[in-house]
Amino acid sequence: MILKVCTSLLLLFLVNSVWTRTVRQVYDDLDPDHWSHYTSECPQECFCPPNFPNALYCDNKGLKEIPPIPARIWYLYLQNNQIETISEKPFVNATHLRWINLNKNKITNSGIESGVLSKLKRLLYLFLEDNELEEVPAPLPVGLEQLRLARNKISRIPEGAFSNLENLTMLDLHQNSLLDSALQSDTFQGLNNLMQLNIAKNSLKKMPLSIPANTLQLFLDNNSIEVIPENYFSAIPKVTFLRLNYNKLSDDGIPPNGFNVSSILDLQLSHNQLTKIPPINAHLEHLHLDHNKIKTVNGTQMCPVSIALEEDYGYYGNIPRLRYLRLDGNEIQPPIPLDIMICFRLLQAVVI
């Protein structure tokens, strides 16, 4: 017992020593001379924290234009201002920028100087949400990893806007004004490493064309989509999370095995016009079907494998993996059919 206590105290001492040394090193590196240097470089409208010398906080300052950015800055916070333009002049020395947050300003496409964004060679994250953009700004930095353009007025994507963005992993275009005509077969060409695509809350009536093959998360909620094309998901074989809530999908708009896709683990079809449960794959783990027009649930028909065959495989066999099922807001009356529980042995929650 004494040995255990001593060992614990020794470990605590070592951890505290390392932590104290690390903190001391930070402040030793930032001696008063450095602090005064950072202060003199800092735009008077902004805040430059001495313990975070690579960051510049100019948010919530009522700014109408971007101040000169010091060369040392990696992280630039300009959200919640009145900025209307992005010109080259403030960024002349800012060659190390990794992150720019310009959310909640008044930036228009005409206010972005030609080529200014593409000159930020090291930029990885660009946030331009809640502005007044009418099209995706282009050209963009080729090393960009995240592009957030939600809640603008975007109705157009210039040809080749994403063609050089091979490192982009997340593209957020939700709550804009995109029509089907804005998404051509080559719109997303070049996005070879895209993992998350969010086009929710637009004005789409069809599933978008040519989604990048590596996409894992596809969000299409709050559109007016009526039909899933045959074999649509074979072109995106890694899609894992699929959200189609608040659309106009009916039974006739879904192919017989439209959602019987082994990669899909989370399928959300809430607030549509379905009267029956579409065929699902045994790998599916979460299924949202609330607020449709479903009247009955037949577990034998819904089960992605034969219940009799499942009995032969046993508990550790190839049984369906469904863990969460939501069916509330339909016309289904409890109790839950017994064959649902027999089929989906891993089911942990059913909302009905």
Side-chain angles (χ1 to χ4, degrees):
M1 180 68 180
I2 295 174
L3 179 61
K4 289 183 179 179
V5 172
C6 290
T7 303
S8 299
L9 289 173
L10 177 60
L11 181 61
L12 183 60
F13 172 76
L14 290 173
V15 170
N16 285 336
S17 298
V18 171
W19 181 85
T20 304
R21 190 182 307 115
T22 303
V23 172
R24 187 181 297 116
Q25 284 173 350
V26 170
Y27 284 96
D28 285 345
D29 289 342
L30 297 174
D31 60 37
D33 290 337
H34 288 155
W35 291 5
S36 61
H37 172 66
Y38 293 145
T39 303
S40 64
E41 274 195 331
C42 188
Q44 62 179 1
E45 310 94 328
C46 306
F47 172 60
C48 298
N51 59 340
F52 194 11
N54 297 120
L56 180 61
Y57 291 87
C58 308
D59 52 308
N60 296 287
K61 301 294 184 182
L63 300 179
K64 294 188 177 180
E65 59 184 26
I66 300 172
I69 311 302
R72 71 175 190 275
I73 299 302
W74 286 24
Y75 308 99
L76 177 59
Y77 298 89
L78 288 160
Q79 66 270 27
N80 293 301
N81 281 295
Q82 305 292 318
I83 296 170
E84 298 180 359
T85 60
I86 304 176
S87 61
E88 185 176 347
K89 186 177 179 181
F91 299 103
V92 169
N93 296 318
T95 56
H96 296 282
L97 277 174
R98 300 318 200 254
W99 171 302
I100 298 178
N101 189 334
L102 276 160
N103 292 345
K104 295 187 177 179
N105 278 283
K106 296 184 176 181
I107 298 167
T108 61
N109 288 94
S110 60
I112 301 176
E113 187 175 333
S114 179
V116 62
L117 296 174
S118 63
K119 292 178 181 178
L120 302 173
K121 303 293 186 183
R122 300 189 183 185
L123 195 66
L124 302 178
Y125 300 87
L126 178 58
F127 300 169
L128 280 165
E129 299 178 344
D130 295 286
N131 277 278
E132 298 178 12
L133 300 173
E134 295 183 349
E135 62 180 53
V136 172
L140 292 161
V142 295
L144 212 57
E145 293 181 4
Q146 287 194 16
L147 178 59
R148 299 177 184 244
L149 298 170
R151 294 178 299 277
N152 277 275
K153 303 173 183 178
I154 296 172
S155 61
R156 181 176 175 271
I157 301 176
E159 185 177 355
F162 306 127
S163 60
N164 294 320
L165 304 185
E166 293 187 2
N167 295 327
L168 199 71
T169 59
M170 195 200 77
L171 175 58
D172 190 346
L173 287 163
H174 89 268
Q175 200 166 332
N176 277 285
S177 303
L178 292 170
L179 300 170
D180 297 318
S181 57
L183 305 181
Q184 300 298 314
S185 59
D186 60 349
T187 296
F188 301 113
Q189 186 175 346
L191 299 178
N192 300 327
N193 289 296
L194 194 71
M195 291 190 288
Q196 184 187 107
L197 178 59
N198 191 343
I199 326 178
K201 294 189 177 181
N202 278 277
S203 301
L204 304 180
K205 294 183 178 180
K206 299 177 181 178
M207 296 291 284
L209 301 171
S210 301
I211 299 297
N214 285 318
T215 302
L216 299 175
Q217 301 177 344
L218 179 58
F219 304 148
L220 292 164
D221 314 76
N222 293 88
N223 281 285
S224 299
I225 297 170
E226 299 178 356
V227 176
I228 307 293
E230 190 83 33
N231 300 319
Y232 181 83
F233 299 106
S234 62
I236 41 175
K238 297 181 181 180
V239 64
T240 304
F241 300 92
L242 178 61
R243 293 197 333 217
L244 280 159
N245 303 319
Y246 292 94
N247 277 282
K248 296 182 179 180
L249 289 170
S250 64
D251 303 327
D252 294 336
I254 300 175
N257 284 295
F259 296 119
N260 188 1
V261 180
S262 62
S263 65
I264 299 177
L265 303 182
D266 191 302
L267 176 59
Q268 300 191 20
L269 297 168
S270 305
H271 294 271
N272 278 279
Q273 299 172 10
L274 303 175
T275 64
K276 58 185 180 182
I277 297 174
I280 59 174
N281 193 273
H283 290 88
L284 188 67
E285 296 183 2
H286 295 83
L287 178 59
H288 297 246
L289 286 165
D290 55 287
H291 298 91
N292 277 274
K293 300 179 179 180
I294 301 169
K295 295 182 179 180
T296 60
V297 180
N298 186 317
T300 304
Q301 292 178 356
M302 180 184 173
C303 194
V305 300
S306 166
I307 292 180
L309 187 62
E310 187 180 339
E311 292 287 345
D312 293 338
Y313 276 118
Y315 187 83
Y316 294 103
N318 187 28
I319 63 174
R321 300 178 186 176
L322 194 68
R323 289 171 166 79
Y324 180 88
L325 175 61
R326 185 170 178 184
L327 291 165
D328 56 304
N330 284 284
E331 300 176 32
I332 303 167
Q333 297 298 321
I336 300 165
L338 180 61
D339 50 4
I340 290 283
M341 308 310 296
I342 293 173
C343 173
F344 301 105
R345 302 185 190 185
L346 302 180
L347 202 58
Q348 296 174 355
V350 181
V351 184
I352 192 168

